[in-house]
Amino acid sequence: MKVTEYFEKAGGKTLTSFEVLPPLKGGGMKAIFDTLDPLMEFKPPFVDVTYHREEYIYQKRDSGYFEKVAIRKRPGTVGICASIMHRYGVDAVPHLICGGFTREETENVLIDLNFLNINNVLALRGDARKFDGKFIPEAEGHGYAVDLVKQIDGINKAAYLDKNIVGGEKMDFCIGVAGYPEKHFEAPNMDLDMKYLKAKIDAGADYIVTQMFFDNKKYFAFVDKCRAMGINVPIVPGLKPITKKYQLVSIPRLFYIDLPDDLVNSIENAKDAAARKEVGIEWCIAQSKELKKAGVPCLHYYTMGDVETIRKIAEAVF
Ligand code: FAD
């Protein structure tokens, strides 16, 4: 079923969903099942699987020189999604990115997903690779998520790249896109970022999942802005608990978001690692409860492999 159909069917009840990372190369599905098994009692109608493109590393050669090599630490998505659907009978939402894909490669992935009856996707641009400095699309690829949305919307209408295909099968993907309550870091200002978000919806996207945030006011203001400019699709808040002190620095650096003073002070004043973790969990529970009370369609948790923490939060909220 489509993600948006779950929201419609829920009739205003807040659902929950989880996001998992593919295992590191060399690992199997066990890591994902170990994460999801304890979360299934919360009845997520869908589970997201992130996509990780290749990254560059520098390897020292015998000569002493360094060689730049591309490696993919977390390959896979399509097979993982199929495996999740098979084991749990829930829908799986693969993240599709522009980076590293030509349009033809994207089309072929969509065809595979369609064969497997996977009809939800989250369409993203992807970040710049480390050492690239800025996002560089493939020569025959997409530069922005909106172009990927257009391609998926096109294949929903049987518009294949090969114009010789006549009477090809229409697909039926439900398309999610990313939204940024605190602005995407590359956008010169919020208004322009919102304009580009609206373009993704106008191009055929069906719902939005937000970047994580730690101050619900930012989410509510973002939803108000969306509604004011005619973005009427469901907006799913993405949530992640802070559980370690170093995240006070790493989260703002990696995700370009602010952390509220109260949260920072409470974590800094906590007596030890266990107490810090408890502060982060309680904060996320409070955020979740307030969002649920406000009637959000779904609470989407970034698990990052920390199932114990996410389970504690879900137990308190659902
Ligand atoms: P876009 O919507 O293309 O926007 C990128 C930037 O370009 C923004 O600043 C926007 O304002 C600007 N822009 C958009 N359109 C135009 C235009 N036409 N002209 C000029 N500027 C424009 N990354 C991964 O690699 N794998 C994942 O699995 C993954 N999952 C994610 C899940 C969620 C819920 C979120 C919020 C992010 C995820 N990301 C993932 C990170 C995401 O790929 C990055 O944040 C990326 O930098 C932007 O992706 P986007 O889809 O928002 O891009």
Side-chain angles (χ1 to χ4, degrees), residues 19 48-53 95-98 122-128 143-147 177-180 184-189 192-194 196-197 199-200 209-212 238 300 302:
E19 184 168 304
D48 277 46
V49 181
T50 56
Y51 186 89
H52 301 260
R53 69 176 297 189
H95 291 191
L96 293 188
I97 65 169
C98 304
L122 194 73
L124 303 145
R125 186 196 70 180
D127 281 321
Y144 294 105
V146 65
D147 303 314
V177 289
Y180 301 83
H184 184 262
F185 70 99
E186 290 171 25
N189 59 50
L192 210 53
D193 204 28
M194 297 295 293
Y196 292 132
L197 175 61
K200 293 193 276 194
V209 184
T210 75
Q211 181 58 280
M212 69 183 78
H300 183 74
Y302 301 110

Side-chain angles (χ1 to χ4, degrees), residues 23-278:
L24 286 168
K25 195 182 255 187
M29 281 300 290
K30 186 176 178 305
I32 293 203
F33 294 153
D34 286 349
T35 301
L36 288 178
D37 282 353
L39 298 176
M40 280 302 139
E41 72 169 89
F42 305 107
K43 302 199 175 356
F46 61 93
V47 170
D48 277 46
V49 181
T50 56
Y51 186 89
H52 301 260
R53 69 176 297 189
E54 81 283 8
E55 42 189 281
Y56 291 130
I57 56 162
Y58 282 90
Q59 272 180 353
K60 198 169 186 183
R61 295 199 314 223
D62 291 345
S63 61
Y65 285 107
F66 283 88
E67 186 182 14
K68 190 177 172 188
V69 289
I71 54 158
R72 275 203 55 205
K73 288 187 181 163
R74 295 180 190 272
T77 306
V78 177
I80 294 172
C81 285
S83 190
I84 288 173
M85 285 169 69
H86 182 249
R87 181 176 174 98
Y88 301 109
V90 300
D91 275 286
V93 184
H95 291 191
L96 293 188
I97 65 169
C98 304
F101 284 85
T102 64
R103 286 180 300 146
E104 191 187 359
E105 285 163 346
T106 296
E107 182 172 275
N108 291 340
V109 172
L110 293 170
I111 289 169
D112 271 344
L113 292 174
N114 186 49
F115 288 153
L116 289 164
N117 207 20
I118 297 172
N119 56 0
N120 295 286
V121 289
L122 194 73
L124 303 145
R125 186 196 70 180
D127 281 321
R129 276 174 304 192
K130 219 168 151 188
F131 304 123
D132 274 351
K134 62 174 184 164
F135 178 80
I136 303 172
E138 294 302 297
E140 293 297 323
H142 299 303
Y144 294 105
V146 65
D147 303 314
L148 177 56
V149 172
K150 283 180 190 162
Q151 181 174 8
I152 304 166
D153 185 62
I155 212 152
N156 278 350
K157 297 167 182 143
Y160 290 81
L161 294 175
D162 181 350
K163 299 298 168 217
N164 295 315
I165 298 175
V166 178
E169 181 164 323
K170 279 187 191 171
M171 301 192 188
D172 193 19
F173 287 105
C174 173
I175 310 168
V177 289
Y180 301 83
E182 298 181 53
K183 185 179 93 58
H184 184 262
F185 70 99
E186 290 171 25
N189 59 50
M190 191 69 183
D191 284 352
L192 210 53
D193 204 28
M194 297 295 293
K195 189 183 119 189
Y196 292 132
L197 175 61
K198 172 99 169 38
K200 293 193 276 194
I201 306 305
D202 292 344
D206 300 291
Y207 71 102
I208 296 168
V209 184
T210 75
Q211 181 58 280
M212 69 183 78
F213 55 89
F214 293 86
D215 178 354
N216 285 352
K217 282 196 222 81
K218 304 246 167 92
Y219 168 83
F220 293 129
F222 175 69
V223 173
D224 287 347
K225 271 197 192 96
C226 286
R227 302 305 181 225
M229 60 195 296
I231 297 176
N232 294 315
V233 298
I235 302 176
V236 175
L239 294 172
K240 174 184 157 60
I242 289 192
T243 54
K244 300 192 177 69
K245 195 172 180 186
Y246 75 80
Q247 291 173 313
L248 294 181
V249 178
S250 67
I251 288 181
R253 178 166 48 79
L254 293 172
F255 300 102
Y256 304 88
I257 55 177
D258 273 348
L259 300 178
D261 285 346
D262 284 356
L263 174 61
V264 175
N265 292 338
S266 303
I267 289 183
E268 287 200 325
N269 294 332
K271 68 176 189 319
D272 56 22
R276 281 192 283 277
K277 189 169 181 173
E278 211 40 50

